[in-house]
Amino acid sequence: MRVFCDFDGTIAKVDTTDLVLTRLADPAWEGLEERWTRGEITAAECMRGQVALIGGDDTALDAVLDTVELAEGFAAFVAWCQAHHVPLTVVSDGVDHFIVRILERHGLGRLPVIANHLVGNGELGRRLEQPWSRAGCAAGSGVCKCQVAARSDERANDLRDLMVFIGDGRSDFCVSGRADLLFARDKLAAYARSRAMPHHEFSDFHSITATLAAAHERLARRAAI
Ligand SMILES: [Mg+2]
Ligand SMILES: [Zn+2]
């Protein structure tokens, strides 16, 4: 079992990038958002443009990030994964510095994070690098989550390699169809319903931990036979 988990709106209660843009960016960021909504630019282009518009020095940026709270039960979920040797990776179309800063403040700085990479600072200007993008990604995201969560073919039939995905938004659509076990809320839950994809709706991480613990036990029993 391997778990991939979205960050904004899933682990973090708010969308961190939107929060930072609202507080610190030149208002032109909203125009980019509208162009993305109309389909004129990709999500990846939108994010690059928006990050370049973030003002304020690093102290101001960190002060905004330090207001972000985590979803109920997330820390206990991380502890469960560690205790059961279940690898957990945060995979986000957000910004790596934002995510790491917030996780560190909650004592979770050791979690692996795959996200867009922030370069620069308030003085020199900020820009976004997208090492996880993939040409042809249906989501057009800076981070192609389906590529990140892909598994090699020889492991595809191994139940122990069960892929679990947890998410809430549009950047999760491309990967959700590949998950063996899908936890969804908000836009992702609506998407899963519209496609008749099996999924568990969640509101906090306590229910996810309970469901995964039961699945993990079933797998362990099967492996012991
Ligand atoms: Mg999200
Ligand atoms: Zn993709």
Side-chain angles (χ1 to χ4, degrees), residues 6-12 14-15 91-93 145 166-172 185:
D6 170 56
F7 188 75
D8 291 304
T10 301
I11 296 173
V14 296
D15 187 304
V91 52
S92 166
D93 200 26
K145 295 188 182 184
I166 309 167
D168 76 313
R170 274 170 70 161
S171 71
D172 305 317
R185 66 187 298 175

Side-chain angles (χ1 to χ4, degrees), residues 134 136-141 143-147 171 174-175:
R134 180 180 65 87
C137 168
S141 303
V143 173
C144 175
K145 295 188 182 184
C146 40
Q147 174 168 262
S171 71
C174 80
V175 67

Side-chain angles (χ1 to χ4, degrees), residues 12-210:
K13 286 184 175 174
V14 296
D15 187 304
T16 313
T17 305
D18 284 353
L19 177 70
V20 169
L21 292 170
T22 305
R23 298 282 174 81
L24 297 175
D26 181 294
W29 76 268
E30 288 174 298
L32 288 168
E33 193 81 5
E34 282 159 22
R35 291 187 63 199
W36 169 60
T37 309
R38 289 198 297 266
E40 294 169 12
I41 54 174
T42 64
E45 290 166 332
C46 181
M47 277 287 285
R48 284 202 302 276
Q50 288 176 329
V51 163
L53 294 172
I54 297 172
D57 59 15
D58 287 349
T59 309
L61 175 58
D62 288 345
V64 173
L65 295 173
D66 290 351
T67 65
V68 176
E69 287 307 320
L70 302 190
E72 303 302 327
F74 182 67
F77 174 70
V78 173
W80 181 86
C81 289
Q82 278 168 354
H84 293 84
H85 309 289
V86 172
L88 167 60
T89 305
V90 178
V91 52
S92 166
D93 200 26
V95 179
D96 58 355
H97 170 72
F98 302 176
I99 297 168
V100 170
R101 169 95 189 175
I102 294 163
L103 289 174
E104 275 175 355
R105 192 166 55 86
H106 290 86
L108 302 170
R110 278 180 304 173
L111 279 178
V113 174
I114 291 174
N116 297 296
H117 180 50
L118 182 69
V119 182
N121 56 41
E123 274 166 55
L124 302 168
R126 298 183 177 93
R127 68 187 167 83
L128 201 61
E129 291 181 351
Q130 296 174 314
W132 300 97
S133 68
R134 180 180 65 87
C137 168
S141 303
V143 173
C144 175
K145 295 188 182 184
C146 40
Q147 174 168 262
V148 169
R151 59 186 152 193
S152 54
D153 284 340
E154 71 267 20
R155 295 169 72 195
N157 293 317
D158 188 341
L159 276 174
R160 282 165 298 185
D161 198 37
L162 206 81
M163 196 272 271
V164 180
F165 190 84
I166 309 167
D168 76 313
R170 274 170 70 161
S171 71
D172 305 317
F173 290 0
C174 80
V175 67
S176 61
R178 300 183 179 216
D180 298 302
L181 201 50
L182 175 65
F183 293 89
R185 66 187 298 175
D186 299 337
K187 284 197 187 99
L188 182 61
Y191 176 83
R193 275 198 302 275
S194 74
R195 305 219 156 191
M197 283 163 43
H199 66 286
H200 297 270
E201 284 206 45
F202 70 97
S203 55
D204 62 45
F205 275 83
H206 297 301
S207 62
I208 296 175
T209 306

